[in-house]
């Protein structure tokens, strides 16, 4: 039996390693072969980009060699998939090869598309790519005063990132001794400061305490990079000196090119994590269209469910469990405090007051991530 | 021709029903009707507030067996 994992990021790596361990006997006996195709020989710890923007990590700290993250029996090829042929159980790759599978898992992630908003690429900075985070850090270090505005376009990875970034901006400018010269303005698409009501209830008084101004029901329409003004769909116009954008996202380019789903989000059963209409194709992580947050945490828990189910179906003919929507995310509340957000399809997150202990746990997790993707933690 | 697209956001908290609606609205064409399914009581007020502010049209809102079915027509 051939199992093919496409995408060597958080979800794909956890899935491939977990599955290889569960099926160690079958793999050793040559009954099962697990292959991974990715378009990069490196693996990036994306949450670290936030810290790069604030000078707390350097880009080289965010990468590991992907081959070193994988169980040695996994056949790993750096060869991007270019075409999916579900009717033939085949994918084609950039190098011209065809890979056949019995079970396919797609974990090709999401990408930013600032070009969807007129003027956004030219007029803003962001921390969603390495290049962006490095440039933003430089801009922040050079900033001498004025209005720093943040706009949030959706959908986007890591729903709490905008809130975290605002608290970190507050502490960053405090540490530089120029907080009184900086106006921090936050703009959010829904009618609260965060889409999740309990996060909003917690963040609003924290914003007030930190002197962070906010405007809700602000859906970014366009940016005038020359006059430095952002316009919302709702009709407001805001002047800025430095614009930090949470850019809109789409699914991977390959998902979009193959018309796997609207805007590249692949239609997926939110419990079974199979692609709609294809029982032998699983989709995990940012690539899906399921209504959970696009986080490494969701990708991780989904990967575990899929690994358990594939292994169980192979061994007993029956899957073991469904994905329950579980997500666990740290929320940095500044430079030295954090809280967390844990929820599933049934239970709403209940936020605890931020503490230093949780912040230090997040800092530790930034390193522990590598043991998590290897499947050791 | 306009079409009704279901956006099933039942039992989701993060990013939540309104965010799912806004994301889907961006992909829709003018004239399309989206039907948001939500189990979040907050949607009954949040969705019309957003729809009014942006200027789309609220077609209907009803609770059927504990699920809110809120229909919105994209107008721009
Ligand atoms: C600034 C920032 C902060 C974040 N903070 C957090 C946080 O605090 N907590 C949290 O849980 N999450 C956080 N996230 C989100 C998290 O990083 C992602 O949700 C997670 O990486 C998703 O995993 P994935 O496997 O779906 O996709 P990815 O990890 O993005 O992996 C996708 C993989 O697919 C590969 N690929 C793409 N196209 C092809 C192709 N055609 N062929 C083969 N391979 C391909 C890519 O090279 C990549 O290896 C953050 C993200 C960012 C950007």
């Amino acid at each position: 039996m051939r199992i093919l994992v496409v995408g060597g990021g958080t979800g794909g790596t956890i899935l491939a390693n977990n599955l290889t361990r569960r099926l160690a006997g079958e793999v050793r006996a040559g009954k099962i072969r697990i292959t991974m195709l990715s378009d990069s020989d490196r693996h990036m710890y994306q949450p670290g980009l936030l810290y790069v923007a604030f000078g707390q990590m350097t880009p080289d700290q965010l990468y590991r060699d992907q081959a070193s993250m994988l169980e040695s029996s996994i056949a790993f090829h750096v060869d991007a998939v270019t075409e999916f042929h579900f009717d033939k159980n085949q994918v084609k790759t950039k190098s011209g090869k065809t890979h056949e599978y019995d079970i396919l898992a797609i974990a090709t992630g999401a990408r930013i598309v600032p070009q969807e908003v007129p003027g956004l690429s030219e007029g803003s900075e962001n921390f969603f790519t390495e290049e962006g985070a490095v440039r933003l850090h430089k801009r922040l270090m050079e900033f001498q005063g004025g209005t720093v505005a943040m706009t949030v376009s959706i959908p986007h990875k890591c729903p709490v990132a905008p809130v975290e970034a605002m608290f970190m901006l507050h502490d960053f400018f405090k540490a530089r001794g120029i907080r009184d010269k900086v106006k921090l303005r936050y703009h959010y698409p829904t009618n609260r400061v965060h889409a999740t009501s309990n996060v909003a209830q917690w963040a609003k008084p924290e914003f007030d305490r930190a002197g962070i101004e906010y405007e809700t029901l602000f859906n970014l329409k366009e940016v005038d990079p020359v006059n430095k003004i952002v316009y919302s769909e709702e009709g407001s116009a805001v002047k800025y000196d430095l614009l930090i954008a949470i850019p809109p996202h789409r699914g991977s380019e390959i998902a979009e090119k193959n018309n796997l789903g609207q805007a590249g989000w692949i239609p997926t059963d939110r419990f079974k994590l199979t692609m709609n209409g294809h029982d032998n194709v699983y989709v995990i992580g940012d690539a899906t269209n399921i209504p959970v947050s696009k986080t490494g945490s969701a990708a991780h828990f989904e990967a575990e469910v899929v690994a358990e189910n594939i292994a169980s179906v192979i061994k007993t003919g029956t899957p073991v469990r469904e994905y329950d929507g579980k997500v666990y995310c740290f929320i940095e509340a500044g430079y030295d405090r954090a809280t967390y957000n844990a929820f599933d399809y049934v239970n709403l997150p209940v936020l605890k007051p931020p503490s230093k202990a949780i912040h230090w746990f997040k800092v530790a997790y930034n390193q522990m991530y590598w043991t998590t993707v290897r499947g050791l933690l | 021709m306009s079409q009704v697209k279901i956006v099933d956001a039942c039992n989701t908290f993060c990013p939540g029903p309104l965010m799912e609606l806004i994301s889907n609205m961006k992909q829709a064409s003018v004239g399309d009707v989206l039907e948001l399914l939500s189990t979040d009581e907050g949607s009954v007020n949040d969705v019309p507030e957003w729809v009014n502010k942006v200027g789309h049209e609220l077609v209907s809102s009803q609770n059927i067996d504990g699920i809110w079915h809120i229909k919105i027509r994209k107008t721009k």
Side-chain angles (χ1 to χ4, degrees), chain A residues 6-12 37-40 46-47 49-50 79-81 107-110 127-128 157-158 164 252 254 284-287 294-297 299 328-330 362:
Chain A
V6 179
T10 304
L37 296 174
S38 195
D39 65 354
S40 170
Q46 298 170 32
L49 290 167
L50 180 66
D79 195 4
V81 168
T108 46
F127 53 86
F128 280 74
K157 285 187 214 186
C158 192
E164 292 184 291
S252 65
I254 188 59
I284 56 171
D286 294 350
K294 302 210 173 287
T295 55
S297 167
Y328 179 107
C329 285
F330 292 103
K362 171 74 198 255

Side-chain angles (χ1 to χ4, degrees), chain A residues 90-111:
Chain A
Q90 283 179 352
V91 302
K92 291 207 184 323
T93 65
K94 199 172 165 191
S95 73
K97 290 202 179 72
T98 299
H99 289 261
E100 303 203 326
Y101 59 81
D102 298 293
I103 296 173
L104 172 68
I106 306 176
T108 46
R111 69 194 206 278

Side-chain angles (χ1 to χ4, degrees), chain A residues 70-137:
Chain A
L70 296 171
E71 288 285 326
S72 57
S73 60
I74 297 170
F76 174 56
H77 307 285
V78 180
D79 195 4
V81 168
T82 51
E83 292 170 31
F84 291 93
H85 296 282
F86 300 112
D87 50 336
K88 296 187 197 144
N89 288 346
Q90 283 179 352
V91 302
K92 291 207 184 323
T93 65
K94 199 172 165 191
S95 73
K97 290 202 179 72
T98 299
H99 289 261
E100 303 203 326
Y101 59 81
D102 298 293
I103 296 173
L104 172 68
I106 306 176
T108 46
R111 69 194 206 278
I112 59 166
V113 283
Q115 63 275 19
E116 269 189 1
V117 180
L120 190 62
S121 303
E122 306 86 311
S124 71
E125 306 294 345
N126 76 72
F127 53 86
F128 280 74
T129 62
E130 177 188 337
E131 188 200 359
V134 168
R135 212 177 45 211
L136 173 57
H137 178 234

Side-chain angles (χ1 to χ4, degrees), chain B residues 56-75:
Chain B
H56 295 310
E57 183 193 337
L58 187 69
V59 178
S60 61
S61 173
Q62 56 179 152
N63 191 307
I64 305 171
D65 300 332
I67 296 175
W68 286 98
H69 293 244
I70 308 173
K71 281 191 188 164
I72 304 102
R73 181 174 290 111
K74 181 165 170 150
T75 55

Side-chain angles (χ1 to χ4, degrees), chain A residues 116 154-155 159 188 190-192 195-196 217 219 233-234 248 262-263 270 291-293 343-348, chain B residues 5 8-16 18-20 22-24 26-28 40 45-46 49-50 53-54 76:
Chain A
E116 269 189 1
I154 54 171
Y188 200 72
T190 68
N191 55 353
R192 288 183 287 260
T196 308
L217 289 173
N219 284 274
E233 296 279 359
E234 293 82 358
Q262 203 177 38
R270 66 157 89 171
V292 294
S293 53
F343 54 93
D344 55 35
Y345 289 144
V346 180
N347 299 296
L348 189 73
Chain B
K5 188 187 171 203
D8 183 356
C10 291
N11 300 315
T12 89
F13 304 118
C14 186
L18 182 53
M19 287 295 230
E20 294 297 334
I22 298 175
S23 299
N24 277 276
K26 273 196 346 189
Q27 309 300 331
D40 179 355
N45 298 319
D46 293 356
E49 192 180 344
W50 175 74
K53 186 99 195 254
V54 182
K76 58 182 198 178

